[in-house]
Amino acid sequence: MSRRFIIAGCGYTGRRLADRLSPQNHVLCLTRSSRRRDQLAQHGLNTIATDLGAPADIDTSGAVVVYLAPPPPDGDRDTTLEGFLRSIDVPARFVYASTSGVYGDCGGAIVNESQPVAPATARAARRVAAEQALLEWGLQAGVETVVLRVAGIYGPGRLPLERIRRRDPVLRAEDAGPGNRIHVSDLAAACERAALIEAPPTPVNICDGNHMSSTEFTNLVATISGAPKPPAIDRDQAQKIFSPMRWSFLAESRRLDNTRMREHLGVELRYADPADGIRQALQFDY
């Protein structure tokens, strides 16, 4: 039976989710960018350009909404999401893509969904506020809500190739903590499962379960792409020359447990091995 889906913030991940859903269902993509609207329309997707904080008259009643837009870059709340929730009709389900950054620094420990949130950056704090706002709204409106706590996303066009080509340094291996990531195709599959299955769990960690560090991942990209590995520097040097955002990702350490994603959400990972995901991504990067 055909169902209605609305993808709000339809960009890098959303387009792939729309491709998975659109053959059998009615899919409407929302974007803030007229340029993105035209790109998605050329791709054959029904798309509207609108202000997500105050969307145009869009019928969301009975639909499944998958919200992929990031919060604003400033402030302590996600005012865009809050405006969106105030504006829409009651959907059947609301899936929200959050971030694993809500857990903060866990000292390399294994982290499942029972771990209390402890955001260490303003960016992560806005995500915690968004999760709370969505939960409160869902309880009041009687809407089933699902929160996906997503690790770092990679895939075509999302590999550190330019940094490798510039010979930008990486943190030396002995200083680099465990990392967490997900290939965009597997993330789209997780969003699809959260949108379709009966009584999905929430929240759900979304990652491939491989905890290689950012340094290991960058070196692997270099090796597979045929480039020299970048130079390595210690933490003191890195903190001086890396951007605050890049350093904030490296300063936090945790190993996400994806058991709930695999066993309860039912995601079958296509790229559990980052080497396979990198090879697939490189086919489109060159």
PDB file of all heavy atoms in Angstrom, residues 109-146:
ATOM      1  N   ALA A 109      34.595   4.991  26.059  1.00  0.00           N
ATOM      2  CA  ALA A 109      33.728   3.903  26.519  1.00  0.00           C
ATOM      3  C   ALA A 109      32.699   3.516  25.460  1.00  0.00           C
ATOM      4  O   ALA A 109      32.360   4.312  24.574  1.00  0.00           O
ATOM      5  CB  ALA A 109      33.010   4.320  27.799  1.00  0.00           C
ATOM      6  N   ILE A 110      32.187   2.286  25.579  1.00  0.00           N
ATOM      7  CA  ILE A 110      31.088   1.846  24.723  1.00  0.00           C
ATOM      8  C   ILE A 110      29.810   2.544  25.187  1.00  0.00           C
ATOM      9  O   ILE A 110      29.486   2.546  26.381  1.00  0.00           O
ATOM     10  CB  ILE A 110      30.929   0.325  24.781  1.00  0.00           C
ATOM     11  CG1 ILE A 110      32.186  -0.350  24.218  1.00  0.00           C
ATOM     12  CG2 ILE A 110      29.696  -0.126  24.002  1.00  0.00           C
ATOM     13  CD1 ILE A 110      32.202  -1.847  24.375  1.00  0.00           C
ATOM     14  N   VAL A 111      29.084   3.120  24.228  1.00  0.00           N
ATOM     15  CA  VAL A 111      27.923   3.949  24.559  1.00  0.00           C
ATOM     16  C   VAL A 111      26.684   3.397  23.865  1.00  0.00           C
ATOM     17  O   VAL A 111      26.636   3.337  22.627  1.00  0.00           O
ATOM     18  CB  VAL A 111      28.160   5.417  24.121  1.00  0.00           C
ATOM     19  CG1 VAL A 111      26.890   6.238  24.296  1.00  0.00           C
ATOM     20  CG2 VAL A 111      29.313   6.017  24.897  1.00  0.00           C
ATOM     21  N   ASN A 112      25.697   2.974  24.655  1.00  0.00           N
ATOM     22  CA  ASN A 112      24.417   2.620  24.064  1.00  0.00           C
ATOM     23  C   ASN A 112      23.402   3.714  24.385  1.00  0.00           C
ATOM     24  O   ASN A 112      23.733   4.736  24.987  1.00  0.00           O
ATOM     25  CB  ASN A 112      23.939   1.239  24.529  1.00  0.00           C
ATOM     26  CG  ASN A 112      23.692   1.177  26.026  1.00  0.00           C
ATOM     27  OD1 ASN A 112      23.392   2.183  26.680  1.00  0.00           O
ATOM     28  ND2 ASN A 112      23.796  -0.009  26.600  1.00  0.00           N
ATOM     29  N   GLU A 113      22.157   3.480  23.998  1.00  0.00           N
ATOM     30  CA  GLU A 113      21.160   4.552  24.087  1.00  0.00           C
ATOM     31  C   GLU A 113      20.731   4.885  25.517  1.00  0.00           C
ATOM     32  O   GLU A 113      20.035   5.886  25.738  1.00  0.00           O
ATOM     33  CB  GLU A 113      19.938   4.178  23.249  1.00  0.00           C
ATOM     34  CG  GLU A 113      20.187   4.174  21.760  1.00  0.00           C
ATOM     35  CD  GLU A 113      20.819   2.898  21.217  1.00  0.00           C
ATOM     36  OE1 GLU A 113      21.125   1.997  22.040  1.00  0.00           O
ATOM     37  OE2 GLU A 113      20.995   2.797  19.988  1.00  0.00           O
ATOM     38  N   SER A 114      21.143   4.084  26.493  1.00  0.00           N
ATOM     39  CA  SER A 114      20.827   4.402  27.891  1.00  0.00           C
ATOM     40  C   SER A 114      21.805   5.421  28.482  1.00  0.00           C
ATOM     41  O   SER A 114      21.587   5.916  29.593  1.00  0.00           O
ATOM     42  CB  SER A 114      20.833   3.126  28.742  1.00  0.00           C
ATOM     43  OG  SER A 114      22.146   2.581  28.809  1.00  0.00           O
ATOM     44  N   GLN A 115      22.863   5.721  27.759  1.00  0.00           N
ATOM     45  CA  GLN A 115      23.850   6.697  28.223  1.00  0.00           C
ATOM     46  C   GLN A 115      23.202   8.079  28.346  1.00  0.00           C
ATOM     47  O   GLN A 115      22.565   8.558  27.407  1.00  0.00           O
ATOM     48  CB  GLN A 115      25.017   6.764  27.229  1.00  0.00           C
ATOM     49  CG  GLN A 115      26.071   7.808  27.538  1.00  0.00           C
ATOM     50  CD  GLN A 115      27.040   7.344  28.615  1.00  0.00           C
ATOM     51  OE1 GLN A 115      27.091   6.153  28.918  1.00  0.00           O
ATOM     52  NE2 GLN A 115      27.791   8.259  29.176  1.00  0.00           N
ATOM     53  N   PRO A 116      23.339   8.752  29.500  1.00  0.00           N
ATOM     54  CA  PRO A 116      22.777  10.102  29.623  1.00  0.00           C
ATOM     55  C   PRO A 116      23.459  11.064  28.650  1.00  0.00           C
ATOM     56  O   PRO A 116      24.650  10.935  28.363  1.00  0.00           O
ATOM     57  CB  PRO A 116      23.096  10.482  31.076  1.00  0.00           C
ATOM     58  CG  PRO A 116      23.342   9.190  31.779  1.00  0.00           C
ATOM     59  CD  PRO A 116      23.941   8.276  30.759  1.00  0.00           C
ATOM     60  N   VAL A 117      22.696  12.005  28.121  1.00  0.00           N
ATOM     61  CA  VAL A 117      23.289  13.010  27.239  1.00  0.00           C
ATOM     62  C   VAL A 117      24.126  13.971  28.075  1.00  0.00           C
ATOM     63  O   VAL A 117      23.795  14.286  29.217  1.00  0.00           O
ATOM     64  CB  VAL A 117      22.215  13.771  26.438  1.00  0.00           C
ATOM     65  CG1 VAL A 117      21.481  12.819  25.511  1.00  0.00           C
ATOM     66  CG2 VAL A 117      21.233  14.478  27.362  1.00  0.00           C
ATOM     67  N   ALA A 118      25.234  14.419  27.490  1.00  0.00           N
ATOM     68  CA  ALA A 118      26.135  15.358  28.166  1.00  0.00           C
ATOM     69  C   ALA A 118      26.859  16.174  27.104  1.00  0.00           C
ATOM     70  O   ALA A 118      28.066  16.044  26.908  1.00  0.00           O
ATOM     71  CB  ALA A 118      27.137  14.614  29.048  1.00  0.00           C
ATOM     72  N   PRO A 119      26.128  17.020  26.369  1.00  0.00           N
ATOM     73  CA  PRO A 119      26.734  17.741  25.253  1.00  0.00           C
ATOM     74  C   PRO A 119      27.877  18.642  25.709  1.00  0.00           C
ATOM     75  O   PRO A 119      27.753  19.351  26.704  1.00  0.00           O
ATOM     76  CB  PRO A 119      25.570  18.558  24.680  1.00  0.00           C
ATOM     77  CG  PRO A 119      24.616  18.721  25.831  1.00  0.00           C
ATOM     78  CD  PRO A 119      24.732  17.446  26.618  1.00  0.00           C
ATOM     79  N   ALA A 120      28.979  18.605  24.959  1.00  0.00           N
ATOM     80  CA  ALA A 120      30.161  19.381  25.327  1.00  0.00           C
ATOM     81  C   ALA A 120      30.322  20.623  24.464  1.00  0.00           C
ATOM     82  O   ALA A 120      31.205  21.449  24.727  1.00  0.00           O
ATOM     83  CB  ALA A 120      31.411  18.512  25.208  1.00  0.00           C
ATOM     84  N   THR A 121      29.494  20.774  23.436  1.00  0.00           N
ATOM     85  CA  THR A 121      29.574  21.932  22.552  1.00  0.00           C
ATOM     86  C   THR A 121      28.189  22.558  22.417  1.00  0.00           C
ATOM     87  O   THR A 121      27.159  21.900  22.647  1.00  0.00           O
ATOM     88  CB  THR A 121      30.072  21.542  21.155  1.00  0.00           C
ATOM     89  OG1 THR A 121      29.095  20.678  20.531  1.00  0.00           O
ATOM     90  CG2 THR A 121      31.420  20.819  21.234  1.00  0.00           C
ATOM     91  N   ALA A 122      28.163  23.817  22.023  1.00  0.00           N
ATOM     92  CA  ALA A 122      26.883  24.493  21.793  1.00  0.00           C
ATOM     93  C   ALA A 122      26.111  23.809  20.680  1.00  0.00           C
ATOM     94  O   ALA A 122      24.874  23.717  20.729  1.00  0.00           O
ATOM     95  CB  ALA A 122      27.128  25.962  21.450  1.00  0.00           C
ATOM     96  N   ARG A 123      26.823  23.311  19.684  1.00  0.00           N
ATOM     97  CA  ARG A 123      26.187  22.618  18.566  1.00  0.00           C
ATOM     98  C   ARG A 123      25.434  21.378  19.063  1.00  0.00           C
ATOM     99  O   ARG A 123      24.280  21.147  18.706  1.00  0.00           O
ATOM    100  CB  ARG A 123      27.263  22.222  17.559  1.00  0.00           C
ATOM    101  CG  ARG A 123      26.776  21.537  16.311  1.00  0.00           C
ATOM    102  CD  ARG A 123      27.932  21.226  15.362  1.00  0.00           C
ATOM    103  NE  ARG A 123      28.894  20.290  15.950  1.00  0.00           N
ATOM    104  CZ  ARG A 123      30.093  20.619  16.412  1.00  0.00           C
ATOM    105  NH1 ARG A 123      30.506  21.872  16.358  1.00  0.00           N
ATOM    106  NH2 ARG A 123      30.894  19.706  16.930  1.00  0.00           N
ATOM    107  N   ALA A 124      26.070  20.602  19.918  1.00  0.00           N
ATOM    108  CA  ALA A 124      25.427  19.399  20.462  1.00  0.00           C
ATOM    109  C   ALA A 124      24.310  19.762  21.432  1.00  0.00           C
ATOM    110  O   ALA A 124      23.289  19.064  21.508  1.00  0.00           O
ATOM    111  CB  ALA A 124      26.464  18.515  21.143  1.00  0.00           C
ATOM    112  N   ALA A 125      24.482  20.847  22.179  1.00  0.00           N
ATOM    113  CA  ALA A 125      23.436  21.278  23.111  1.00  0.00           C
ATOM    114  C   ALA A 125      22.162  21.653  22.367  1.00  0.00           C
ATOM    115  O   ALA A 125      21.051  21.387  22.847  1.00  0.00           O
ATOM    116  CB  ALA A 125      23.938  22.452  23.947  1.00  0.00           C
ATOM    117  N   ARG A 126      22.305  22.267  21.196  1.00  0.00           N
ATOM    118  CA  ARG A 126      21.117  22.581  20.396  1.00  0.00           C
ATOM    119  C   ARG A 126      20.405  21.304  19.956  1.00  0.00           C
ATOM    120  O   ARG A 126      19.176  21.270  19.861  1.00  0.00           O
ATOM    121  CB  ARG A 126      21.503  23.436  19.185  1.00  0.00           C
ATOM    122  CG  ARG A 126      21.798  24.888  19.515  1.00  0.00           C
ATOM    123  CD  ARG A 126      21.943  25.747  18.280  1.00  0.00           C
ATOM    124  NE  ARG A 126      23.171  25.462  17.534  1.00  0.00           N
ATOM    125  CZ  ARG A 126      24.349  26.032  17.786  1.00  0.00           C
ATOM    126  NH1 ARG A 126      24.477  26.906  18.772  1.00  0.00           N
ATOM    127  NH2 ARG A 126      25.401  25.738  17.042  1.00  0.00           N
ATOM    128  N   ARG A 127      21.168  20.261  19.696  1.00  0.00           N
ATOM    129  CA  ARG A 127      20.559  18.985  19.319  1.00  0.00           C
ATOM    130  C   ARG A 127      19.801  18.359  20.492  1.00  0.00           C
ATOM    131  O   ARG A 127      18.727  17.779  20.315  1.00  0.00           O
ATOM    132  CB  ARG A 127      21.648  18.020  18.834  1.00  0.00           C
ATOM    133  CG  ARG A 127      22.250  18.390  17.497  1.00  0.00           C
ATOM    134  CD  ARG A 127      21.270  18.191  16.356  1.00  0.00           C
ATOM    135  NE  ARG A 127      21.942  18.206  15.069  1.00  0.00           N
ATOM    136  CZ  ARG A 127      21.366  17.905  13.920  1.00  0.00           C
ATOM    137  NH1 ARG A 127      20.085  17.568  13.901  1.00  0.00           N
ATOM    138  NH2 ARG A 127      22.046  17.947  12.783  1.00  0.00           N
ATOM    139  N   VAL A 128      20.369  18.452  21.677  1.00  0.00           N
ATOM    140  CA  VAL A 128      19.665  17.950  22.862  1.00  0.00           C
ATOM    141  C   VAL A 128      18.360  18.715  23.056  1.00  0.00           C
ATOM    142  O   VAL A 128      17.299  18.121  23.318  1.00  0.00           O
ATOM    143  CB  VAL A 128      20.550  18.059  24.110  1.00  0.00           C
ATOM    144  CG1 VAL A 128      19.747  17.743  25.370  1.00  0.00           C
ATOM    145  CG2 VAL A 128      21.745  17.116  24.009  1.00  0.00           C
ATOM    146  N   ALA A 129      18.425  20.026  22.902  1.00  0.00           N
ATOM    147  CA  ALA A 129      17.215  20.846  23.032  1.00  0.00           C
ATOM    148  C   ALA A 129      16.185  20.457  21.974  1.00  0.00           C
ATOM    149  O   ALA A 129      14.978  20.421  22.245  1.00  0.00           O
ATOM    150  CB  ALA A 129      17.571  22.324  22.917  1.00  0.00           C
ATOM    151  N   ALA A 130      16.645  20.154  20.767  1.00  0.00           N
ATOM    152  CA  ALA A 130      15.734  19.752  19.698  1.00  0.00           C
ATOM    153  C   ALA A 130      15.070  18.416  20.023  1.00  0.00           C
ATOM    154  O   ALA A 130      13.858  18.253  19.822  1.00  0.00           O
ATOM    155  CB  ALA A 130      16.491  19.660  18.381  1.00  0.00           C
ATOM    156  N   GLU A 131      15.852  17.471  20.513  1.00  0.00           N
ATOM    157  CA  GLU A 131      15.278  16.173  20.893  1.00  0.00           C
ATOM    158  C   GLU A 131      14.195  16.361  21.959  1.00  0.00           C
ATOM    159  O   GLU A 131      13.118  15.760  21.890  1.00  0.00           O
ATOM    160  CB  GLU A 131      16.374  15.250  21.424  1.00  0.00           C
ATOM    161  CG  GLU A 131      17.338  14.729  20.388  1.00  0.00           C
ATOM    162  CD  GLU A 131      18.313  13.705  20.963  1.00  0.00           C
ATOM    163  OE1 GLU A 131      18.061  13.245  22.107  1.00  0.00           O
ATOM    164  OE2 GLU A 131      19.298  13.356  20.287  1.00  0.00           O
ATOM    165  N   GLN A 132      14.482  17.193  22.953  1.00  0.00           N
ATOM    166  CA  GLN A 132      13.524  17.410  24.037  1.00  0.00           C
ATOM    167  C   GLN A 132      12.267  18.099  23.530  1.00  0.00           C
ATOM    168  O   GLN A 132      11.145  17.732  23.914  1.00  0.00           O
ATOM    169  CB  GLN A 132      14.196  18.221  25.147  1.00  0.00           C
ATOM    170  CG  GLN A 132      15.315  17.462  25.852  1.00  0.00           C
ATOM    171  CD  GLN A 132      16.106  18.315  26.821  1.00  0.00           C
ATOM    172  OE1 GLN A 132      16.075  19.558  26.766  1.00  0.00           O
ATOM    173  NE2 GLN A 132      16.835  17.678  27.716  1.00  0.00           N
ATOM    174  N   ALA A 133      12.445  19.100  22.659  1.00  0.00           N
ATOM    175  CA  ALA A 133      11.286  19.804  22.100  1.00  0.00           C
ATOM    176  C   ALA A 133      10.415  18.847  21.286  1.00  0.00           C
ATOM    177  O   ALA A 133       9.180  18.893  21.363  1.00  0.00           O
ATOM    178  CB  ALA A 133      11.756  20.971  21.232  1.00  0.00           C
ATOM    179  N   LEU A 134      11.046  17.967  20.516  1.00  0.00           N
ATOM    180  CA  LEU A 134      10.288  17.012  19.716  1.00  0.00           C
ATOM    181  C   LEU A 134       9.536  16.027  20.607  1.00  0.00           C
ATOM    182  O   LEU A 134       8.362  15.726  20.357  1.00  0.00           O
ATOM    183  CB  LEU A 134      11.232  16.253  18.787  1.00  0.00           C
ATOM    184  CG  LEU A 134      10.588  15.150  17.953  1.00  0.00           C
ATOM    185  CD1 LEU A 134       9.533  15.716  17.002  1.00  0.00           C
ATOM    186  CD2 LEU A 134      11.637  14.368  17.179  1.00  0.00           C
ATOM    187  N   LEU A 135      10.205  15.536  21.657  1.00  0.00           N
ATOM    188  CA  LEU A 135       9.551  14.588  22.560  1.00  0.00           C
ATOM    189  C   LEU A 135       8.330  15.226  23.214  1.00  0.00           C
ATOM    190  O   LEU A 135       7.245  14.613  23.274  1.00  0.00           O
ATOM    191  CB  LEU A 135      10.546  14.121  23.624  1.00  0.00           C
ATOM    192  CG  LEU A 135       9.997  13.183  24.697  1.00  0.00           C
ATOM    193  CD1 LEU A 135       9.471  11.893  24.072  1.00  0.00           C
ATOM    194  CD2 LEU A 135      11.064  12.873  25.741  1.00  0.00           C
ATOM    195  N   GLU A 136       8.479  16.458  23.699  1.00  0.00           N
ATOM    196  CA  GLU A 136       7.359  17.145  24.340  1.00  0.00           C
ATOM    197  C   GLU A 136       6.214  17.363  23.358  1.00  0.00           C
ATOM    198  O   GLU A 136       5.040  17.154  23.677  1.00  0.00           O
ATOM    199  CB  GLU A 136       7.841  18.470  24.925  1.00  0.00           C
ATOM    200  CG  GLU A 136       8.802  18.302  26.104  1.00  0.00           C
ATOM    201  CD  GLU A 136       9.444  19.607  26.525  1.00  0.00           C
ATOM    202  OE1 GLU A 136       9.076  20.667  25.945  1.00  0.00           O
ATOM    203  OE2 GLU A 136      10.308  19.579  27.426  1.00  0.00           O
ATOM    204  N   TRP A 137       6.554  17.794  22.143  1.00  0.00           N
ATOM    205  CA  TRP A 137       5.539  18.017  21.117  1.00  0.00           C
ATOM    206  C   TRP A 137       4.831  16.704  20.775  1.00  0.00           C
ATOM    207  O   TRP A 137       3.594  16.672  20.644  1.00  0.00           O
ATOM    208  CB  TRP A 137       6.194  18.608  19.878  1.00  0.00           C
ATOM    209  CG  TRP A 137       5.293  18.708  18.680  1.00  0.00           C
ATOM    210  CD1 TRP A 137       4.406  19.699  18.392  1.00  0.00           C
ATOM    211  CD2 TRP A 137       5.202  17.761  17.607  1.00  0.00           C
ATOM    212  NE1 TRP A 137       3.762  19.432  17.211  1.00  0.00           N
ATOM    213  CE2 TRP A 137       4.236  18.248  16.704  1.00  0.00           C
ATOM    214  CE3 TRP A 137       5.840  16.549  17.328  1.00  0.00           C
ATOM    215  CZ2 TRP A 137       3.892  17.572  15.532  1.00  0.00           C
ATOM    216  CZ3 TRP A 137       5.505  15.871  16.171  1.00  0.00           C
ATOM    217  CH2 TRP A 137       4.542  16.376  15.281  1.00  0.00           C
ATOM    218  N   GLY A 138       5.582  15.625  20.632  1.00  0.00           N
ATOM    219  CA  GLY A 138       4.990  14.347  20.293  1.00  0.00           C
ATOM    220  C   GLY A 138       4.027  13.853  21.350  1.00  0.00           C
ATOM    221  O   GLY A 138       2.952  13.325  21.032  1.00  0.00           O
ATOM    222  N   LEU A 139       4.389  14.045  22.615  1.00  0.00           N
ATOM    223  CA  LEU A 139       3.504  13.632  23.706  1.00  0.00           C
ATOM    224  C   LEU A 139       2.209  14.439  23.705  1.00  0.00           C
ATOM    225  O   LEU A 139       1.118  13.896  23.894  1.00  0.00           O
ATOM    226  CB  LEU A 139       4.227  13.778  25.048  1.00  0.00           C
ATOM    227  CG  LEU A 139       5.351  12.771  25.322  1.00  0.00           C
ATOM    228  CD1 LEU A 139       6.090  13.142  26.605  1.00  0.00           C
ATOM    229  CD2 LEU A 139       4.800  11.349  25.415  1.00  0.00           C
ATOM    230  N   GLN A 140       2.336  15.746  23.478  1.00  0.00           N
ATOM    231  CA  GLN A 140       1.158  16.616  23.488  1.00  0.00           C
ATOM    232  C   GLN A 140       0.258  16.371  22.285  1.00  0.00           C
ATOM    233  O   GLN A 140      -0.969  16.378  22.393  1.00  0.00           O
ATOM    234  CB  GLN A 140       1.591  18.081  23.526  1.00  0.00           C
ATOM    235  CG  GLN A 140       2.270  18.483  24.823  1.00  0.00           C
ATOM    236  CD  GLN A 140       2.805  19.899  24.779  1.00  0.00           C
ATOM    237  OE1 GLN A 140       2.695  20.601  23.774  1.00  0.00           O
ATOM    238  NE2 GLN A 140       3.404  20.334  25.886  1.00  0.00           N
ATOM    239  N   ALA A 141       0.884  16.120  21.116  1.00  0.00           N
ATOM    240  CA  ALA A 141       0.109  15.960  19.884  1.00  0.00           C
ATOM    241  C   ALA A 141      -0.309  14.517  19.642  1.00  0.00           C
ATOM    242  O   ALA A 141      -1.111  14.249  18.742  1.00  0.00           O
ATOM    243  CB  ALA A 141       0.927  16.465  18.697  1.00  0.00           C
ATOM    244  N   GLY A 142       0.227  13.585  20.426  1.00  0.00           N
ATOM    245  CA  GLY A 142      -0.083  12.183  20.214  1.00  0.00           C
ATOM    246  C   GLY A 142       0.564  11.613  18.968  1.00  0.00           C
ATOM    247  O   GLY A 142      -0.021  10.753  18.300  1.00  0.00           O
ATOM    248  N   VAL A 143       1.774  12.074  18.680  1.00  0.00           N
ATOM    249  CA  VAL A 143       2.496  11.634  17.487  1.00  0.00           C
ATOM    250  C   VAL A 143       3.652  10.732  17.900  1.00  0.00           C
ATOM    251  O   VAL A 143       4.410  11.053  18.821  1.00  0.00           O
ATOM    252  CB  VAL A 143       3.040  12.839  16.691  1.00  0.00           C
ATOM    253  CG1 VAL A 143       3.879  12.364  15.495  1.00  0.00           C
ATOM    254  CG2 VAL A 143       1.896  13.732  16.226  1.00  0.00           C
ATOM    255  N   GLU A 144       3.802   9.624  17.209  1.00  0.00           N
ATOM    256  CA  GLU A 144       4.932   8.728  17.437  1.00  0.00           C
ATOM    257  C   GLU A 144       6.204   9.405  16.925  1.00  0.00           C
ATOM    258  O   GLU A 144       6.278   9.826  15.770  1.00  0.00           O
ATOM    259  CB  GLU A 144       4.694   7.415  16.694  1.00  0.00           C
ATOM    260  CG  GLU A 144       5.714   6.334  16.974  1.00  0.00           C
ATOM    261  CD  GLU A 144       5.355   5.035  16.279  1.00  0.00           C
ATOM    262  OE1 GLU A 144       4.946   5.088  15.103  1.00  0.00           O
ATOM    263  OE2 GLU A 144       5.470   3.973  16.911  1.00  0.00           O
ATOM    264  N   THR A 145       7.198   9.532  17.800  1.00  0.00           N
ATOM    265  CA  THR A 145       8.440  10.187  17.420  1.00  0.00           C
ATOM    266  C   THR A 145       9.608   9.208  17.532  1.00  0.00           C
ATOM    267  O   THR A 145       9.637   8.357  18.414  1.00  0.00           O
ATOM    268  CB  THR A 145       8.726  11.418  18.304  1.00  0.00           C
ATOM    269  OG1 THR A 145       8.791  11.022  19.676  1.00  0.00           O
ATOM    270  CG2 THR A 145       7.649  12.477  18.123  1.00  0.00           C
ATOM    271  N   VAL A 146      10.565   9.355  16.611  1.00  0.00           N
ATOM    272  CA  VAL A 146      11.748   8.505  16.588  1.00  0.00           C
ATOM    273  C   VAL A 146      12.970   9.402  16.449  1.00  0.00           C
ATOM    274  O   VAL A 146      13.035  10.225  15.533  1.00  0.00           O
ATOM    275  CB  VAL A 146      11.725   7.504  15.415  1.00  0.00           C
ATOM    276  CG1 VAL A 146      12.914   6.562  15.504  1.00  0.00           C
ATOM    277  CG2 VAL A 146      10.413   6.736  15.379  1.00  0.00           C
TER     278      VAL A 146
END
